[in-house]
Amino acid sequence: NVLLTDAHEIQESSLALKYINHNEKLEAGMDFGDMMSLVIGQQRGEYLYLLKEFYTLPPENSKELAMKFVDFFKLHKLKILDLYYDRSGNQYQQIKRDWVQEFADFIEDKDENGVSRTGWKVNLMNRNQATILHEQEFKAVNNILGEYEAKLPKIRIDQFQCKCLKSSLELSKTKIKSDKSGSKTIHKDKSSEKLPMPM
């Protein structure tokens, strides 16, 4: 379930994942910021398995994150990745700093003829998508994780390969804000994201 390099070092690979089908495409959710995170999933029947997480902290960037993905899934057979991401991935597109396209380019690593050197094809799934409000997101996540809607897939998270995701879901907090008219809405409490980076 692991690769042995020439130096006989153990190298992790997707072969160790129990619930993966290497002949089907992968899906991923990505979050941009000082900490960039990538969670890889795959739907199989009524379940959506969250298989593996990757993240980077400064001074690493999207290139290092892309290489972590490519290295881990190098033996995956159907190299198609449907990539979903938060709106910040698109927000600088018009000023020529398109973070999500940059990340996709690092994964595909195309040659001068436009052929992917890694074999991967990345589909950007959120182009021109309207903003999803925190309250909408909160309700949607509760419906999915609570398994209240039969039409939605049941989520299964790998507790060993997605430790940060599991912890984040367990510890995430919300806060209530009121607008000028007194209407209350739910928002994420992002105060922990503003803490200084570890040195």
Side-chain angles (χ1 to χ4, degrees):
N1 289 342
V2 295
L3 298 177
L4 290 178
T5 66
D6 292 338
H8 302 293
E9 295 177 354
I10 294 176
Q11 181 181 3
E12 282 190 303
S13 83
S14 59
L15 293 180
L17 299 176
K18 182 177 180 180
Y19 294 101
I20 193 171
N21 182 344
H22 284 93
N23 296 303
E24 295 290 340
K25 71 177 182 179
L26 298 175
E27 297 177 282
M30 186 171 186
D31 190 33
F32 292 88
D34 287 336
M35 174 183 175
M36 286 191 291
S37 58
L38 182 72
V39 176
I40 309 300
Q42 189 178 63
Q43 187 161 352
R44 299 179 64 186
E46 64 177 336
Y47 295 101
L48 176 60
Y49 292 100
L50 303 185
L51 303 166
K52 176 68 176 175
E53 66 183 11
F54 305 93
Y55 66 89
T56 58
L57 296 170
E60 289 186 319
N61 57 31
S62 58
K63 184 174 184 178
E64 282 82 7
L65 188 62
M67 291 306 96
K68 289 179 182 183
F69 167 80
V70 170
D71 288 344
F72 186 84
F73 286 101
K74 66 173 63 176
L75 298 178
H76 196 75
K77 303 298 184 184
L78 184 62
K79 289 184 165 62
I80 296 175
L81 178 67
D82 288 349
L83 182 61
Y84 298 85
Y85 42 92
D86 67 340
R87 61 182 177 173
S88 62
N90 280 331
Q91 67 184 14
Y92 295 115
Q93 183 179 0
Q94 294 180 350
I95 59 171
K96 309 302 182 187
R97 183 63 195 270
D98 188 349
W99 288 350
V100 70
Q101 184 62 62
E102 180 179 86
F103 177 73
D105 290 344
F106 284 135
I107 288 180
E108 295 177 346
D109 189 23
K110 293 179 180 177
D111 63 20
E112 60 276 7
N113 297 313
V115 178
S116 171
R117 293 186 179 94
T118 63
W120 281 97
K121 164 65 178 168
V122 180
N123 299 314
L124 304 181
M125 307 302 290
N126 296 96
R127 284 296 193 216
N128 304 314
Q129 177 180 291
T131 298
I132 299 174
L133 301 177
H134 287 171
E135 189 163 23
Q136 294 172 314
E137 185 179 303
F138 178 78
K139 290 178 180 177
V141 169
N142 278 342
N143 280 335
I144 294 171
L145 295 181
E147 300 182 2
Y148 301 124
E149 298 286 343
K151 295 179 181 178
L152 296 175
K154 296 177 174 64
I155 304 296
R156 297 295 181 264
I157 302 173
D158 190 309
Q159 64 176 327
F160 302 109
Q161 298 294 338
C162 298
K163 291 180 181 178
C164 295
L165 172 65
K166 182 175 178 292
S167 175
S168 178
L169 289 171
E170 291 171 344
L171 299 176
S172 61
K173 298 178 181 179
T174 60
K175 57 185 178 181
I176 305 297
K177 289 184 179 180
S178 299
D179 61 19
K180 294 178 180 178
S181 65
S183 297
K184 299 184 185 312
T185 53
I186 298 172
H187 295 263
K188 292 179 185 176
D189 184 347
K190 293 192 170 187
S191 56
S192 63
E193 296 181 16
K194 295 178 172 59
L195 297 174
M197 287 292 162
M199 300 301 289

